[in-house]
Amino acid sequence: MPARLPIFEVEQWMDAYETTPGVLNIAETCCASVSVDDLRALSKNVDASSPIDLARKMTYGPILGSPELRQNITSLYRHDDCAEPLSTSSVIVTNGAIAANHLVFYSLVGPGDHVISVFPTYQQLYSVPESLGAEVSLWELKAENGFVPNVAELERFIKKNTLMIVINNPNNPTGATIPTETLKEIVDVARKHDIILFADEVYRPLYHGVEEDKIPPSVLSLGWEKTVVTSSMSKAWALAGIRVGWIASRDASIIEKVAIARDYTTISVSQLDDQVATYALGDEVRPHLIQRNMELAKKNLALLDEFVRNHSDYVSWVKPNAATVAFVQFRKAGQPVNDEQFCLDLLKQTKVMVLPGCKCFGHGNAFKGYVRIGYVSETEVLREALEQLSAYVKENLA
């Protein structure tokens, strides 16, 4: 019998504390959210119409997502070095990336299968396949390697029944990037053993600290047909509230299996959400929206970097070069703090909310003393939170 799903620690923590009165939330992982009015301003088109057609009848709409939205999603992959552009038939729209991830596993994984997942990562990426009866091996990312996966270790995990390799690029919670050459090595392993490669790319293309000529492509573009990716409008695109994500694969059999499973969970996404997402990913808005978020990420990361440098006796990290999150370790008397107690006491004393790494991303004592900080909030929120955090560190860890 498949295992019951364990507590989803990240989401439980967020649900419990993000509505604390007066909270300074730097646990959030989305770029500071934008409104529909903000999108219209970003279009730079003074005659821009509303993203929402109020005269459109609210039917279910196109079941797999509107043709316009699916076309705009394919445009996110058109600049990758790939001979064949991604077609709209290779894309299925979902209710956020969380539904996309669940559908991939539900459609493809079952008892007797073996899944390899990077770790730390979003808990869903290893807990869901385990709940479906699969054996899961955790492929640990190490700080001494810059949280970049070691492909030699991957080879040692491979079994006869290995069905899927799961990666997350850029990575949550570390903000690390898997470089192109490492991605190609992972693809080579997947191809060699005829394994599905599944990449959660929800923070792509927010590679704000990577040189332009070194930004990795989507794994969809690296030549292995049995590749599937997920993403959404939430993180890099600052539109979590519209609940739009997607699944993309060049393998028609994967898309067919997902579409069949999707019929049991979702008829279609909200037609209002579909329209807003289509507008945001259109050519008139998309480049300005991602530029806004890249600039915010760079500006705010500089503030967090200054905080880490100013408290280097008690704080350390692998500086992130992508995404919206950082994995920061706090120490007292040279030893990692109890991160759960640290986060609770910090919230109680200062209203600053961060996420405990060991509790939410660790097994046993893995990542002890680490907390996840989401730094692409409104700059003033981050600035005030870091001032409070600085005072707390000086009083409690010195």
Side-chain angles (χ1 to χ4, degrees):
M1 289 288 292
R4 295 186 65 180
L5 281 166
I7 295 295
F8 201 155
E9 297 290 359
V10 168
E11 299 304 334
Q12 290 290 314
W13 188 273
M14 296 296 289
D15 289 347
Y17 300 113
E18 65 185 341
T19 57
T20 301
V23 68
L24 293 166
N25 186 353
I26 55 171
E28 179 58 68
T29 60
C30 302
C31 291
S33 299
V34 294
S35 67
V36 171
D37 284 345
D38 292 333
L39 291 179
R40 294 181 69 180
L42 284 167
S43 75
K44 310 301 180 185
N45 180 356
V46 295
D47 298 319
S49 59
S50 171
I52 300 173
D53 179 2
L54 298 178
R56 183 179 298 182
K57 301 296 184 183
M58 288 293 105
T59 66
Y60 286 117
I63 299 305
L64 299 182
S66 70
E68 297 82 6
L69 176 55
R70 294 164 82 191
Q71 183 61 51
N72 285 356
I73 289 169
T74 67
S75 71
L76 300 176
Y77 305 94
R78 69 187 177 198
H79 299 299
D80 288 342
D81 184 17
C82 183
E84 184 179 349
L86 190 67
S87 69
T88 56
S89 63
S90 298
V91 176
I92 294 177
V93 178
T94 63
N95 290 101
I98 196 163
N101 292 341
H102 195 280
L103 271 171
V104 169
F105 292 126
Y106 186 75
S107 306
L108 304 176
V109 175
D113 293 327
H114 176 232
V115 173
I116 302 165
S117 175
V118 294
F119 165 74
T121 191
Y122 196 51
Q123 184 182 333
Q124 184 192 31
L125 298 182
Y126 50 87
S127 286
V128 170
E130 193 170 46
S131 77
L132 294 169
E135 176 191 0
V136 177
S137 296
L138 296 178
W139 181 18
E140 186 173 343
L141 309 177
K142 298 179 174 65
E144 56 265 32
N145 295 332
F147 293 118
V148 173
N150 183 326
V151 182
E153 292 180 358
L154 173 62
E155 283 279 10
R156 294 196 287 271
F157 282 118
I158 303 293
K159 301 181 179 183
K160 290 182 179 180
N161 63 332
T162 301
L163 175 81
M164 181 183 288
I165 299 166
V166 183
I167 60 175
N168 177 205
N169 197 34
N171 178 262
N172 171 20
T174 69
T177 296
I178 304 176
T180 302
E181 288 307 311
T182 304
L183 284 176
K184 289 179 178 178
E185 292 174 0
I186 295 170
V187 167
D188 288 344
V189 172
R191 182 187 292 109
K192 174 183 174 183
H193 297 280
D194 194 27
I195 296 170
I196 297 168
L197 177 58
F198 170 30
D200 178 334
E201 297 181 340
V202 74
Y203 292 96
R204 181 181 184 270
L206 207 63
Y207 292 106
H208 49 77
V210 181
E211 294 178 24
E212 188 170 352
D213 62 346
K214 294 183 179 178
I215 292 175
S218 167
V219 294
L220 280 178
S221 303
L222 295 179
W224 176 227
E225 188 175 66
K226 289 187 178 181
T227 296
V228 58
V229 304
T230 56
S231 192
S232 84
M233 299 302 299
S234 298
K235 309 301 183 181
W237 302 103
L239 286 163
I242 64 172
R243 307 310 304 134
V244 170
W246 59 88
I247 298 166
S249 178
R250 298 181 186 278
D251 188 320
S253 68
I254 289 177
I255 290 296
E256 182 181 8
K257 289 174 182 176
V258 169
I260 290 170
R262 187 177 178 277
D263 285 341
Y264 284 90
T265 59
T266 305
I267 302 292
S268 61
V269 301
S270 158
Q271 294 305 288
L272 298 176
D273 292 352
D274 187 298
Q275 290 182 62
V276 175
T278 300
Y279 185 89
L281 294 183
D283 289 341
E284 288 190 350
V285 176
R286 184 186 66 255
H288 306 297
L289 178 56
I290 197 62
Q291 180 182 3
R292 175 258 190 191
N293 294 342
M294 290 279 273
E295 290 175 355
L296 182 62
K298 291 177 181 178
K299 178 180 181 180
N300 287 8
L301 182 58
L303 295 176
L304 185 55
D305 184 41
E306 182 181 17
F307 166 83
V308 173
R309 286 187 284 106
N310 288 343
H311 302 84
S312 59
D313 288 342
Y314 319 105
V315 184
S316 61
W317 68 347
V318 175
K319 185 179 178 180
N321 59 9
T324 64
V325 290
F327 215 32
V328 182
Q329 189 180 51
F330 289 81
R331 302 179 305 277
K332 182 173 184 177
Q335 298 299 313
V337 299
N338 180 312
D339 47 273
E340 183 176 2
Q341 291 180 4
F342 174 88
C343 292
L344 289 172
D345 192 54
L346 177 69
L347 181 64
K348 180 179 179 180
Q349 291 197 36
T350 70
K351 301 295 186 183
V352 173
M353 179 183 171
V354 291
L355 205 73
C358 190
K359 179 177 178 60
C360 294
F361 297 98
H363 284 248
N365 288 323
F367 315 117
K368 188 175 181 181
Y370 279 90
V371 306
R372 188 187 72 181
I373 295 176
Y375 56 87
V376 195
S377 57
E378 299 289 353
T379 300
E380 289 311 308
V381 172
L382 178 66
R383 195 188 308 275
E384 184 178 352
L386 291 179
E387 288 175 358
Q388 295 290 338
L389 182 55
S390 177
Y392 180 89
V393 166
K394 290 174 182 176
E395 182 175 345
N396 293 276
L397 302 187

